[in-house]
Amino acid sequence: RLMHSLEQALGKRLPITALLQAPTIEKLAALLQEQDGLQEWSSLVPMRMSGDKAPFFCVHGIGGTVLRFRELARLVGDDQPFYGLQAQGLDGKVPAQNRVEEMAAHYVEEVQSAGFDGPFYLGGYSFGGMVALEMAHRLRAEGYEVPLVILLDTFPGSLKSTGSLFGTYLTLP
């Protein structure tokens, strides 16, 4: 509601993740006054950038936003960088993707274009777990190390089915 009210009053559309960048009224006002406004839209949302460990990347659930990861990012510890991966299309400027494979390819590209080269620690909430599994499959096929994939409330399908993404990931070398 806040973002909608701001758009109506000021004619500027902000993504909901602006609240992660600017969690106070003062910071939000400063963000709105910036000459260029917000950075160009990205699916990669830094939620905790500090720390010496390899970053953890967590894929959104069915709603597409990463705001629900704010508390998780805080709880993982000061030495753990944490990035959310939000759905393309939430900005209303580009079409949303609707296939796991498309999303995974896009998120892998976003992570790699930001300069990350592994090892890749991945996770996903609900539907995002399926995307994280596909990301892991793609990254491993490209020769990257993926030591951990965390599924949060994700139903991976039958473990007996060799056609499932989860079954495929379990059989990777």
Side-chain angles (χ1 to χ4, degrees), residues 40-90:
E40 187 174 315
W41 173 264
S42 174
S43 289
L44 186 64
V45 179
M47 301 183 87
R48 176 188 295 276
M49 295 173 63
S50 62
D52 298 337
K53 295 180 178 179
F56 180 73
F57 301 94
C58 199
V59 181
H60 63 85
I62 198 76
T65 67
V66 295
L67 287 179
R68 71 178 47 224
F69 301 148
R70 187 177 57 119
E71 188 67 11
L72 180 59
R74 187 184 69 77
L75 291 172
V76 296
D78 293 337
D79 61 343
Q80 179 64 64
F82 190 105
Y83 292 81
L85 287 161
Q86 66 185 347
Q88 178 177 298
L90 292 177

Side-chain angles (χ1 to χ4, degrees), residues 13-15 23 32 40 50 54 59 67 73 77-78 82 86 91 103 109 118 125 130 138 145 148 157 161 172:
R13 185 175 194 171
L14 299 175
L32 286 164
E40 187 174 315
S50 62
V59 181
L67 287 179
D78 293 337
F82 190 105
Q86 66 185 347
D91 63 350
M103 291 177 190
E109 184 179 306
Y125 170 70
M130 301 306 290
R138 288 172 182 268
E145 183 183 356
L148 179 70
S161 169
L172 290 174

Side-chain angles (χ1 to χ4, degrees), residues 55-61 69 72 82-85 107 120-133 135-136 146 148-152 154:
F56 180 73
F57 301 94
C58 199
V59 181
H60 63 85
F69 301 148
L72 180 59
F82 190 105
Y83 292 81
L85 287 161
Y107 300 156
F120 290 97
Y121 294 87
L122 305 172
Y125 170 70
S126 189
F127 167 78
M130 301 306 290
V131 178
L133 283 170
M135 289 175 67
V146 184
L148 179 70
V149 179
I150 297 175
L151 304 180
L152 304 167
T154 299

Side-chain angles (χ1 to χ4, degrees), residues 26-45:
E26 179 182 13
K27 290 179 181 179
L28 192 57
L31 188 64
L32 286 164
Q33 291 176 352
E34 285 181 8
Q35 186 75 6
D36 296 328
L38 291 175
Q39 306 169 5
E40 187 174 315
W41 173 264
S42 174
S43 289
L44 186 64
V45 179

